[in-house]
Amino acid sequence: MIAPHWKPLQKRAVGAYLGVAVGDALGATVEFMTPREIQTAHGRHRELIGGGWLRLKPGHVTDDTTMSLALGGAILEAGRIDPVVAAHAFDGWMRSKPVDLGNTVRRGILHFRRTGEPVAPPDEQDAGNGSCMRVIPVILGCHGGEDTLLERACLHQGRVTHHNPLAEAGTWCMARLVRMAMAGEDKSRMLAGPVEALVRAWPMFRFRVRPEITHPSGFIVETLRAVFQSFFDTDTFEECLITVVNLGGDADTTGAIAGMLAGAYYGVEAIPRRWLRALHPPVAAACVDQALALIEAAPLPVTG
Ligand SMILES: [Mg+2]
């Protein structure tokens, strides 16, 4: 699955995309559980064993990965990043009868079906993590382009379902962090740049404060605080992912987002081989293919 001749950028891009899938598959087992329930059932949860409330087969993934792949496939086919391209991708994804489907996502896609409008109505209340969990294809598709281009691409794919300032701020911060990680920047610069900017604008994202987050919900603030503390306070891909999913809560999505960031930062070779072997093979192959194709085609035009 990993080709030794890949350049560092390719290893980071593939690491980020496979990180989404591995984190999703690892976290899905313990989604909605509390840390105490996880401890009782699994000790420290650290293997891709499937199960969970979705009763997944080992190595299978959920909406976080399948929505990313639907979006990435559509972007590659269209050769551009566009709100209508994203909306059609998510619509097709919903028709494929996915194993799970969040309420905000369902509402946004139904709005598009009804109106043809690829932007959900603004919602001040519903700052879910659903637009952040599927952002990897636009980050890779904008590689080498201006920051403003990436920011627009994040909004285009996000607003199909999540039209909320907190969700947008969190997603944009994460996109900048992954971009810096792919460029080989270190954690201190990532903290001083995008994380500091996010916390200055929205202090509720501050992490390393008591009480530390446990059992993070699908609220983007709780999700990203869990991801930040797990990524910035560990030193390996494996420890980052084990730390974040053992917090429980929306563990498939905290796992997917942490996996994306840690995969970009540490590169694909840092992902434990036992996890890559356990990952559902067609999903693993699609992540690798899309990651390589997107950075090869990048920067793609952002339209609409
Ligand atoms: Mg999920």
Side-chain angles (χ1 to χ4, degrees), residues 132-241:
C132 191
M133 73 185 191
R134 61 179 190 228
V135 73
I136 187 62
V138 306
I139 300 173
L140 301 180
C142 288
H143 179 74
E146 296 286 329
D147 272 1
T148 50
L149 206 70
L150 176 58
E151 189 172 13
R152 273 177 57 217
C154 287
L155 289 176
H156 283 350
Q157 73 81 18
R159 282 186 177 170
V160 177
T161 54
H162 291 66
H163 194 170
N164 172 282
L166 270 181
E168 286 164 9
T171 302
W172 173 230
C173 174
M174 190 50 61
R176 290 180 67 197
L177 290 174
V178 172
R179 168 170 270 201
M180 288 177 81
M182 293 211 334
E185 302 253 23
D186 66 21
K187 288 185 185 177
S188 61
R189 289 177 60 94
M190 295 161 77
L191 280 169
V195 175
E196 185 54 38
L198 178 68
V199 167
R200 214 179 306 124
W202 303 93
M204 65 182 86
F205 280 98
R206 189 175 299 285
F207 76 111
R208 290 175 172 159
V209 290
R210 304 252 164 224
E212 284 204 329
I213 214 89
T214 64
H215 200 240
S217 69
F219 179 36
I220 186 72
V221 175
E222 292 192 11
T223 299
L224 289 194
R225 283 183 60 198
V227 170
F228 291 157
Q229 79 188 37
S230 303
F231 173 72
F232 287 109
D233 294 340
T234 58
D235 294 308
T236 66
F237 180 93
E238 181 176 9
E239 205 40 50
C240 171
L241 262 67

Side-chain angles (χ1 to χ4, degrees), residues 24 28 31 53-54 61-65 99-100 133 250 252-253:
D24 182 5
E31 186 182 6
W53 73 280
L54 293 168
V61 296
T62 74
D63 53 348
D64 309 64
T65 308
V99 290
D100 64 341
M133 73 185 191
D250 199 358
D252 57 328
T253 299

Side-chain angles (χ1 to χ4, degrees), residues 93-125:
W93 168 84
M94 191 158 94
R95 289 181 202 281
S96 75
K97 304 230 183 311
V99 290
D100 64 341
L101 172 58
N103 285 331
T104 310
V105 167
R106 180 197 305 273
R107 219 173 25 245
I109 295 171
L110 291 177
H111 174 79
F112 172 67
R113 276 190 200 165
R114 247 191 340 268
T115 63
E117 176 60 55
V119 180
D123 186 341
E124 291 299 323
Q125 305 304 318

Side-chain angles (χ1 to χ4, degrees), residues 61-77:
V61 296
T62 74
D63 53 348
D64 309 64
T65 308
T66 56
M67 284 195 94
S68 298
L69 289 171
L71 178 62
I75 289 171
L76 283 165
E77 193 176 278

